Amino acid sequence: MRITFLGHAGLLAEADGRRVAIDPFLTGNPKAAMKASELKVDAIALTHAHGDHASDAADIAKANDCPIIAVVELADILARKGAKTVGMNTGGTYAWDGVRLKMTPALHSSSYQDGDVALYAGQAVGLLLEMGGKTLYHTGDTALFSDFKLIGERHRIDVAALPIGDHFTMGPDDALEAAAWIGAKHVIPIHYDTFPPIRQDGAAFVRRLAERGMTGHAMSPGDTIEI
């Protein structure tokens, strides 16, 4: 599996000729890896509906003629905007073309801003993405919670993407504990440094991971890793 950091909480996962983007927030992102119009994908998966995760999804999906996989309420909203969607819910799994996606719990809010109206968009989730014999766990925006231990015990996770920005999600201290509970071979810090309230030092977080025997990757937008 090849993983490209799109900026903020966005990742592009590639394996066996398939390209899946998770939370591609590019328009209005001061640290985006590319323009939304430049992203080529076979599917988009969303953790929740907030604008810094879902605002580009419908346009990217329509440009690529590909589906958006999201919690059913959010999928319904994006379908009304003309996108192909697959609606799911927490605990469910969707498989296609050698790719498998499972939704896990996350502790966060979720609403879709449509003009002046904030629409209810279901629950926030995490995503377990299996491609090319590897598993990526994108926790989504979340607080620390004890089910990370269960998820780590039940799945062989090759790489975990964890928010460290604090303020809206868990911060570095809680993310460090989450990484230990999940037990992933690699950890990517996400959801930090994009805006002032979530300023954090990704390199410092990676050093703290190393002190506890874990491998981290503080990626700049456009950086890739192979796992």
Side-chain angles (χ1 to χ4, degrees), residues 1-143:
M1 183 189 289
R2 183 184 189 193
I3 298 171
T4 302
F5 182 50
L6 298 176
H8 195 54
L11 299 178
L12 174 65
E14 301 175 75
D16 297 335
R18 301 296 177 189
R19 296 164 57 91
V20 179
I22 299 176
D23 289 358
F25 165 53
L26 300 168
T27 304
N29 178 353
K31 297 189 175 183
M34 63 184 72
K35 296 178 181 178
S37 59
E38 297 171 334
L39 183 59
K40 306 303 179 186
V41 292
D42 300 297
I44 299 166
L46 298 178
T47 63
H48 66 293
H50 289 159
D52 59 333
H53 297 257
S55 58
D56 280 326
D59 287 341
I60 294 171
K62 287 186 285 186
N64 286 271
D65 191 27
C66 75
I68 300 169
I69 305 159
V71 167
V72 64
E73 291 87 353
L74 175 55
D76 288 347
I77 292 169
L78 297 174
R80 293 196 295 271
K81 294 185 175 297
K84 296 179 180 178
T85 63
V86 177
M88 295 178 59
N89 220 316
T90 312
T93 301
Y94 178 63
W96 77 100
D97 296 338
V99 181
R100 181 179 171 92
L101 183 76
K102 181 174 182 177
M103 291 187 170
T104 68
L107 296 180
H108 197 65
S109 58
S110 181
S111 61
Y112 188 89
Q113 196 69 34
D114 194 3
D116 295 332
V117 179
L119 302 175
Y120 173 70
Q123 303 179 70
V125 296
L127 300 172
L128 281 164
L129 178 66
E130 299 177 21
M131 299 174 66
K134 301 292 184 178
T135 300
L136 162 65
Y137 179 29
H138 190 303
T139 68
D141 286 9
T142 188

